[in-house]
């Protein structure tokens, strides 16, 4: 599908301003940051304009004009994505939803919240806490990432192994289609099987099928009792990966189980305070495990014994402050690695039992390419984040776009990582999405028939191909 511009850029701007007034932004300084997201990908030039939507009607107006004129429309929230899915370039209009940040309703009796897409994960859970409720998706970027972005990418995070990814926590959506039509999908009820599940189709669609303007979220009661946190150290990541596999193999479902390899732990040690660094071993890998809810103490004790049997040293705590310190080590991993070089953050997932093999394959790819690839993992669900480091500490991307800025050998290493994950029965992306960065590999996972079917589904929802063009599918 190709966007065909049927009017001049000046005419597009005139129509947008007539309909949306000062919500239309063309100031070059304001448009410049919209060329990139946290993936590091940078477009060749600035977008035509941005629409800072405040209402559903703003979104509908922008979509109608874009559809009528064939103007590419890129939906953006906080810009924290890691796949290039919210990067806008010349001739495109950014639909900025970050200002649609209201919590519209909290219904404790139904365990439901209704929110706009720009609400931040962390802010939502602080608002829910007085009601004894929470929304389970917990990306490491929860203080800066939006609910709408989480839904668009079907985001994961630290708590997925027990509480599921975003898809398991969404009951319904309000979505504006490419032509401005507003549709309400899903249900407010826990059960509901009427018709095709278009809510699930929208979740993880990366802005290619419609614009999410409201979400009905399934909430959970806050876990009761003390949370027990385990911090375990291993001589190397292979031993840690086997311990993590032993925990899931024994039937335990920890709330959090995060594994950092030797290089990642060393980077964290160099990044944290001297006091925290002194409490970490000089070498080795780190496994963070957390048990919550009824029986958490017994589960923690059983998991600690499995860790010791696998060759790890472990401490167990029910102290919230100590738990926060241990969890913060994991949340510090990405900024710590950014300080060492320019990162290309990847996101493969494999069956949990094959995670030790994937770590071994990553070491082989490091040896073959000569590149540093520190890796952390959501070990409870087999989702690994190899970070290919190159050059000096900086953000990826330049005036000519990130494809030129990232060296060919780094892309080659990424391809080797993807194929290794697929060969082990895994997937290209566990939570970051396909975006721009993985679209060239998508057909290898889906196959020709499914890839073609997905392109045809895109065409049904967006016949002119204006929504996030080039995202997921190669133009």
């Amino acid at each position: 599908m190709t966007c065909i511009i049927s009017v001049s850029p000046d005419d597009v701007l005139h129509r947008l301003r007539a309909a949306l007034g000062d919500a239309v932004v063309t100031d070059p300084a304001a448009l410049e940051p919209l060329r990139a997201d946290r993936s590091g990908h940078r477009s060749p030039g600035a977008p035509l304009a941005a629409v800072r939507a405040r209402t559903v009607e703003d979104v509908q107006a922008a979509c109608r004009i874009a559809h009528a004129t064939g103007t590419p429309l890129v939906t953006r929230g906080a810009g924290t994505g890691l796949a290039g899915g919210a990067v806008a370039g010349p001739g495109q209009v950014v639909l900025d939803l970050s200002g649609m940040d209201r919590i519209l309703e909290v219904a404790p009796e139904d365990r439901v919240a209704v929110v706009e897409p720009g609400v931040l994960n962390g802010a939502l859970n602080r608002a829910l806490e007085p009601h004894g409720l929470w929304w389970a998706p917990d990306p490491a970027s929860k203080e800066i990432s939006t609910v709408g972005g989480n839904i668009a990418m079907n985001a994961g995070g630290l708590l997925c192994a027990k509480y599921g990814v975003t898809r398991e926590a969404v009951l319904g959506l309000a979505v504006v289609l490419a032509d401005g039509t507003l549709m309400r999908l899903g249900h407010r009820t826990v059960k509901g099987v009427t018709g095709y599940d278009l809510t699930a189709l929208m979740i993880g669609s990366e802005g290619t099928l419609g614009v999410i303007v409201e979400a009905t979220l399934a909430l959970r009661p806050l876990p009761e009792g003390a949370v027990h946190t385990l911090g375990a150290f291993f001589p190397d990541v292979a031993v840690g990966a086997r311990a993590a596999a032993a925990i899931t193999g024994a039937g335990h479902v920890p709330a959090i189980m995060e594994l950092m390899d030797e290089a990642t732990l060393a980077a964290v040690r160099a990044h944290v305070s001297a006091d925290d660094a002194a409490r970490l071993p000089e070498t080795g890998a780190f496994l963070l495990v957390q048990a919550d809810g009824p029986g958490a103490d017994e589960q923690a004790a059983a998991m600690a014994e499995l860790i010791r049997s696998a060759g790890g040293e472990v401490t167990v705590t029910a102290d919230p402050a100590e738990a926060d310190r241990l969890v913060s080590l994991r949340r510090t991993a990405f900024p710590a690695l950014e300080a060492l070089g320019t990162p290309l953050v990847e996101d493969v997932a494999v069956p949990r039992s094959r995670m030790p093999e994937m770590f071994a394959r990553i070491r082989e790819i490091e040896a073959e390419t000569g590149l540093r690839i520190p890796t952390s993992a959501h070990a409870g669900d087999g989702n690994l984040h190899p970070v290919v480091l190159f050059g000096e500490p900086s953000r990826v991307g330049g005036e000519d776009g990130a494809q030129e800025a990232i060296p060919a050998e780094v892309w080659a290493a990424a391809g080797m990582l993807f194929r290794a994950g697929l060969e082990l029965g895994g997937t290209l992306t566990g939570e970051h999405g396909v975006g721009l960065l993985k679209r060239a590999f998508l057909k290898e996972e889906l196959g020709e028939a499914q890839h073609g079917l997905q392109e045809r589904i895109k065409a049904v929802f967006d016949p002119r191909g204006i929504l996030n063009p080039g995202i997921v599918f190669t133009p």
Side-chain angles (χ1 to χ4, degrees):
M1 290 175 291
T2 303
C3 298
I4 300 174
I5 304 297
S6 57
V7 300
S8 71
D10 286 343
D11 190 16
V12 173
L13 290 175
H14 174 75
R15 297 188 193 198
L16 288 172
R17 288 180 177 131
L20 294 157
D22 60 7
V24 181
V25 178
T26 57
D27 175 32
L31 298 180
E32 186 65 21
L34 306 181
R35 294 175 58 189
D37 62 8
R38 286 183 68 85
S39 71
H41 185 95
R42 187 176 177 82
S43 71
L48 176 65
V51 173
R52 290 178 174 161
R54 294 287 181 179
T55 66
V56 173
E57 290 75 21
D58 288 349
V59 175
Q60 289 181 283
C63 287
R64 289 188 189 109
I65 293 167
H67 181 75
T69 60
T71 303
L73 196 64
V74 176
T75 305
R76 187 178 177 100
T80 59
L82 290 164
V87 173
Q92 300 182 333
V93 172
V94 175
L95 184 52
D96 179 357
L97 304 182
S98 60
M100 296 179 66
D101 58 358
R102 294 181 300 160
I103 298 173
L104 301 174
E105 180 188 1
V106 177
E109 65 279 11
D110 292 326
R111 294 185 188 171
V112 159
V114 181
V115 305
E116 291 183 326
V119 173
L120 298 179
N121 286 62
L124 173 61
N125 276 328
R126 282 189 289 276
L128 294 174
E129 188 173 359
H131 301 281
L133 299 169
W134 65 305
W135 194 52
D138 181 39
S141 58
K142 67 179 181 179
E143 293 300 332
I144 56 174
S145 63
T146 64
V147 170
N150 283 198
I151 295 171
M153 308 307 292
N154 193 23
L158 277 63
L159 294 167
C160 295
K162 183 171 184 177
Y163 295 106
V165 295
T166 301
R167 180 176 285 117
E168 281 73 61
V170 178
L171 294 173
L173 297 170
V175 177
V176 175
L177 301 184
D179 64 359
T181 301
L182 176 64
M183 296 184 65
R184 292 195 173 273
L185 311 175
H187 311 82
R188 188 185 171 97
T189 55
V190 175
K191 288 182 174 180
V193 294
T194 309
Y196 295 127
D197 190 352
L198 298 183
T199 304
L201 182 62
M202 284 289 171
I203 299 169
S205 63
E206 304 189 34
T208 63
L209 301 181
V211 181
I212 296 164
V213 292
E214 182 184 291
T216 300
L217 307 177
L219 308 179
R220 293 176 177 270
L222 286 168
E224 295 182 0
V227 174
H228 291 255
T229 303
L230 293 75
F233 297 97
F234 299 88
D236 59 59
V237 73
V239 180
R242 287 195 292 271
I247 287 171
T248 56
H252 297 292
V253 186
I256 291 176
M257 188 157 66
E258 298 288 309
L259 180 61
M260 296 193 297
D261 71 1
E262 301 92 322
T264 306
L265 184 59
V268 169
R269 189 186 305 109
H271 193 75
V272 299
S273 69
D275 179 59
D276 279 343
R279 301 169 72 177
L280 300 176
E282 291 296 320
T283 60
F286 174 67
L287 181 68
L288 169 73
V289 187
Q290 204 165 71
D292 64 7
D297 53 345
E298 295 177 3
Q299 185 183 31
M303 291 190 295
E305 186 56 38
L306 287 169
I307 288 170
R308 294 187 186 101
S309 297
E313 297 180 5
V314 61
T315 59
V316 182
T317 181
D319 176 48
E322 180 65 11
D324 286 346
R325 187 191 72 81
L326 290 169
V327 173
S328 72
L329 293 178
R330 170 61 183 87
R331 296 193 188 276
T332 302
F334 182 63
L337 293 173
E338 279 189 309
L340 298 181
T342 299
L344 180 65
V345 184
E346 290 308 340
D347 170 42
V348 296
V350 297
R352 286 174 285 202
S353 62
R354 308 201 73 174
M355 197 166 52
E357 293 174 76
M358 188 62 197
F359 272 105
R361 295 288 290 274
I362 293 168
R363 297 289 84 84
E364 292 171 4
I365 294 168
E366 279 189 313
E368 183 173 342
T369 63
L371 293 165
R372 296 174 295 168
I373 312 179
T375 302
S376 57
H378 304 309
D381 54 27
N383 186 187
L384 297 92
H385 294 308
V387 179
V388 187
L389 293 175
F390 62 97
E392 297 299 317
S394 65
R395 294 305 303 155
V396 179
E399 292 303 313
D400 295 325
Q403 297 291 340
E404 290 75 27
I406 296 177
E409 62 267 23
V410 174
W411 281 120
M416 294 166 72
L417 291 167
F418 300 153
R419 293 187 179 101
L422 293 177
E423 288 167 7
L424 293 174
T427 179
L428 292 170
T429 174
E431 58 188 6
H432 292 171
V434 174
L436 289 168
L437 300 188
K438 296 186 178 183
R439 65 188 185 187
F441 300 91
L442 185 61
K443 199 174 291 186
E444 291 188 36
E445 177 171 339
L446 298 183
E448 291 278 355
Q450 187 184 166
H451 188 271
L453 177 60
Q454 293 203 14
E455 287 187 308
R456 294 195 296 277
I457 290 171
K458 158 76 169 167
V460 169
F461 282 83
D462 180 19
R464 300 204 68 180
I466 64 167
L467 296 180
N468 277 19
I471 302 301
V472 181
F473 303 108
T474 303

